[in-house]
Amino acid sequence: MTLKTFAPKGDATVPIAATTASASAALDKYSSAVRVVNGGTAMAFIRFSTGAATAVVTDMPIASGATETFTKGSADTVSAITASGTAALYFTNGEGL
């Protein structure tokens, strides 16, 4: 099995300024993966979906300063929220892990 190194694609990066209210952004529906960077000081919680969705604090946590890459399947939207504080999140569409 060969794993491809992550490569950005399409409208590469979309930001979300996450707060205690859920916010969302569109992802490139043709990309198979998304790289997530939490450049903020708070833990963020994210949810991938097809169409609109609301993130909640029981969704997937992304620690402050973390960089993670996920296979997103058919998701075309990502939503994010924090339990407190703010988080500057960056979602880069691409291929590979």
Side-chain angles (χ1 to χ4, degrees):
M1 180 168 144
T2 303
L3 292 177
K4 294 179 3 181
T5 304
F6 182 81
K9 175 183 170 188
D11 293 336
T13 302
V14 293
I16 293 180
T19 66
T20 57
S22 181
S24 62
L27 297 172
D28 177 4
K29 66 181 179 179
Y30 299 109
S31 293
S32 65
V34 64
R35 179 177 181 250
V36 182
V37 175
N38 182 347
T41 57
M43 174 84 73
F45 302 87
I46 65 170
R47 175 182 293 204
F48 294 106
S49 62
T50 302
T54 300
V56 295
V57 296
T58 55
D59 286 333
M60 186 169 24
I62 305 293
S64 173
T67 300
E68 303 282 349
T69 303
F70 301 97
T71 302
K72 66 173 194 64
S74 62
D76 60 8
T77 304
V78 63
S79 302
I81 194 168
T82 62
S84 64
T86 61
L89 299 171
Y90 302 93
F91 300 88
T92 303
N93 299 287
E95 301 295 329
L97 297 172

